[in-house]
Amino acid sequence: MARDVLGNALPSASPLARRVLTELLARTAERWHFFAATSANQPCADAILVGAGGVFAVLVADEPPDETTTLTVARRAEERCAGVTGPRGLRLANSAIHHVVITAGGGSRSRGHSYELLTERDLPSLFRKEPRFGAKLATHIADQLAERLPGYERLSVQRTEPKAEPTQLLDAAELIAGQLEAAQRRPFETWMTFLHPEQNDIVSRHYGGPARISGPAGTGKTVVALHRLRHLAHRSVNPLLFTTFVRTLPKVHEMFFRHLAPEVANRVEFTGLHAWIREFLISRDIAVTIQQSKVDDAFGRAWTVHRDSLSTIDPAPHYWQSEIDRVIKGRGLTDVESYVRVSRRGRSLPLDEGQRRRAWQLYETYQDNLRHKNLHDHNDAVTLALRELVACPPDKPYAAVVVDEVQDITLVGLRMLRQLAGDGHDQLLLIGDGQQQVYPGGWRLSDAGIPIQGRGAVLKINYRNRASVLDFALRFDATNEVDDLDGAAGVALRQAESANTGGETGSWRGPKGDLPTVLTDVIAKLPVPRGQAALLVFHHKDLDHCTTILRGAGIPYLTLDHYEGEADDKLKVGTVHRAKGLDFQAVLTVQVTNGGPVVEPPVRERQYLVAATRARDYLWWGVAESSSS
């Protein structure tokens, strides 16, 4: 039957096209939707296919076409699908349109530069892809495409099951309401099909130089970044780089990107910033020795020397170590006079000239200790990489560099990334939120020589957190130093528009000795699958305590250091620093205090905000009080 329908519509189709399109058309009996090109005045997809697995632009050819042809076909398919709407006014993203070339060859399936290459034999794999949306939403999309595809004819064969109620009799919002609920219960990649119109515009916008996307938690900054990576990969042949200060994020986002854009996934490198630097320095035969325990010992010995002069200002050695990391070395300061003059935006303690000179003496002793042991810290590695890039740029530069969680990268790190990416069109995209900065030591992008005037966007709609979770997160006073990453006013979480209603929160406060019983009970009663939940803490010693509780209760868990985004039934466990950039259906937080009222510094409030906003549907906040002894 499908062969007869196709023969009448496309009498001059080649034998290969006739076989392939006949098989695609036959799938309309299984709730797929099929549009065949009836005019070929210019290069275009031979068919548009819509179903549970997504939207596919299919080109049939005896041999793989050249890249110019496939890019032209892809661009025209995206233009014709532009404007298709989904849940709550979101639009079908260009990145949700999969480009497939089907040949007669007998080889195995492979990836082209901008498309997935299949043979006839591999054709059934199109229908085994992970579902992106349900039958009603697929029909809703196909009905819109029927009005947007001139030169195409919508063809179908009789279904083998009774037809559902005609969708045109239903309100569009009714059609997709269930889909929105389903999306909120599914993993992150479901949201890769639709984007807000503003997000969609950013994905395909042409930037004449470095660009920046900022916005509060949950506004989809990373989603936009991944869609943009796919957009740029389709328009270049060189490799692309996604990097971030958070070393656990790249593997997770690489997995998401492979779902989003399998045809170009092998051309995008996902790696942590320090991991990239380490490999780069090795490739240039530059020796770097970073042994964190020995680095910490070098600082500890320096602190012993200078403790008496600094402990009256702040007795915590960690504060002074971060002063060196984030201000002195992080900003690339090389003499004490520069340090005396520099702005220390974001640091919790003001320091006068005399105090800064004493801090500089601590830094010099620390550096002497490192040199004596032939050691480096991470800041040294960043500085060495910057010098090497200035002296000898890569032979094959990246087509684009996308940097996530940029607010926690040091100023020297930003300078290095600018040197790596360059200032050309669409070559550097920075993603971040000043309100989620957990490593304070403020800077402006202009300090790094990164001009973004007129090339910045601020996202304002929170799609992640349900209303009750968002309300809980707003308890934390984390608005200090919120900007657009270049000194101008930014948008705080309380100013964001919430897109989701509902949600559930819970809290507990009690003796630390009761935590094992309380925590295991909360986990047993989770309203979401355990594998979609995370337990977050704020100190490594508390992480050790909580994992001991989990092991004792026989609760399977996976630390965030080893989490790569794959689905399983294990509770995810880690510090808030490792959770940055991730989200989960449910989040359980454990905050350990010494009891009594505590005035938290701004950086700790920001950490609390980050932890709370990792939760989509359910947030539980536990405060375990231990004695000050």
Side-chain angles (χ1 to χ4, degrees), residues 229-517:
L229 268 174
R230 185 227 186 232
H231 171 82
L232 296 174
H234 275 240
R235 286 152 181 80
S236 65
V237 294
N238 280 3
L240 300 93
L241 174 67
F242 175 100
T243 190
T244 175
F245 183 79
V246 186
R247 65 182 177 86
T248 50
L249 274 183
K251 287 294 184 182
V252 176
H253 291 332
E254 181 177 17
M255 187 274 290
F256 293 147
F257 190 73
R258 289 190 179 279
H259 284 286
L260 171 68
E263 72 282 1
V264 293
N266 61 341
R267 290 201 297 115
V268 181
E269 180 182 353
F270 287 82
T271 186
L273 179 62
H274 292 305
W276 185 92
I277 289 171
R278 182 172 59 250
E279 293 302 317
F280 172 70
L281 293 176
I282 290 173
S283 73
R284 297 296 179 91
D285 294 323
I286 298 175
V288 175
T289 303
I290 300 176
Q291 297 181 28
Q292 195 58 49
S293 61
K294 293 183 178 181
V295 170
D296 290 340
D297 178 69
F299 176 81
R301 288 186 287 112
W303 173 248
T304 300
V305 173
H306 298 279
R307 175 173 49 205
D308 291 344
S309 67
L310 294 172
S311 59
T312 56
I313 308 168
D314 192 311
H318 174 74
Y319 182 84
W320 298 105
Q321 190 170 17
S322 69
E323 179 76 8
I324 293 173
D325 284 342
R326 308 304 296 186
V327 181
I328 297 177
K329 299 184 77 169
R331 295 182 67 90
L333 304 179
T334 57
D335 62 84
V336 66
E337 300 305 326
S338 297
Y339 178 48
V340 166
R341 295 190 302 269
V342 75
S343 170
R344 298 169 60 255
R345 295 173 66 247
R347 301 294 293 168
S348 60
L349 291 178
L351 298 180
D352 61 28
E353 179 178 341
Q355 293 167 333
R356 294 195 192 197
R357 291 187 183 276
R358 279 181 269 166
W360 187 266
Q361 291 173 346
L362 171 67
Y363 156 70
E364 288 184 323
T365 302
Y366 167 61
Q367 284 300 101
D368 287 343
N369 291 343
L370 290 179
R371 281 192 291 269
H372 180 70
K373 296 291 187 179
N374 292 318
L375 292 171
H376 304 85
D377 60 19
H378 288 295
N379 280 302
D380 296 328
V382 176
T383 299
L384 289 171
L386 172 58
R387 291 175 183 170
E388 180 65 15
L389 285 169
V390 171
C392 185
D395 293 332
K396 188 176 183 181
Y398 290 108
V401 175
V402 174
V403 186
D404 201 8
E405 301 292 341
V406 70
Q407 72 274 0
D408 283 322
I409 293 176
T410 64
L411 182 60
V412 175
L414 284 172
R415 289 171 178 157
M416 190 218 75
L417 289 165
R418 174 192 174 274
Q419 187 67 34
L420 176 64
D423 291 331
H425 296 181
D426 297 325
Q427 289 179 203
L428 178 61
L429 179 65
L430 305 172
I431 314 291
D433 172 23
Q435 195 174 14
Q436 296 187 70
Q437 185 184 61
V438 298
Y439 296 98
W443 43 253
R444 298 181 179 184
L445 293 175
S446 54
D447 296 337
I450 301 176
I452 59 165
Q453 289 77 10
R455 295 187 296 274
V458 181
L459 300 176
K460 303 176 182 178
I461 301 177
N462 181 298
Y463 292 102
R464 177 193 300 151
N465 312 119
R466 288 190 180 271
S468 63
V469 174
L470 193 58
D471 287 344
F472 192 105
L474 292 176
R475 299 179 186 183
F476 302 116
D477 182 19
T479 57
N480 183 44
E481 297 293 337
V482 177
D483 60 28
D484 68 346
L485 305 181
D486 202 36
V491 176
L493 185 65
R494 65 183 66 254
Q495 298 170 289
E497 177 185 343
S498 176
N500 301 321
T501 60
E504 183 181 354
T505 62
S507 60
W508 168 82
R509 189 182 190 100
K512 186 177 179 181
D514 292 347
L515 182 61
T517 300

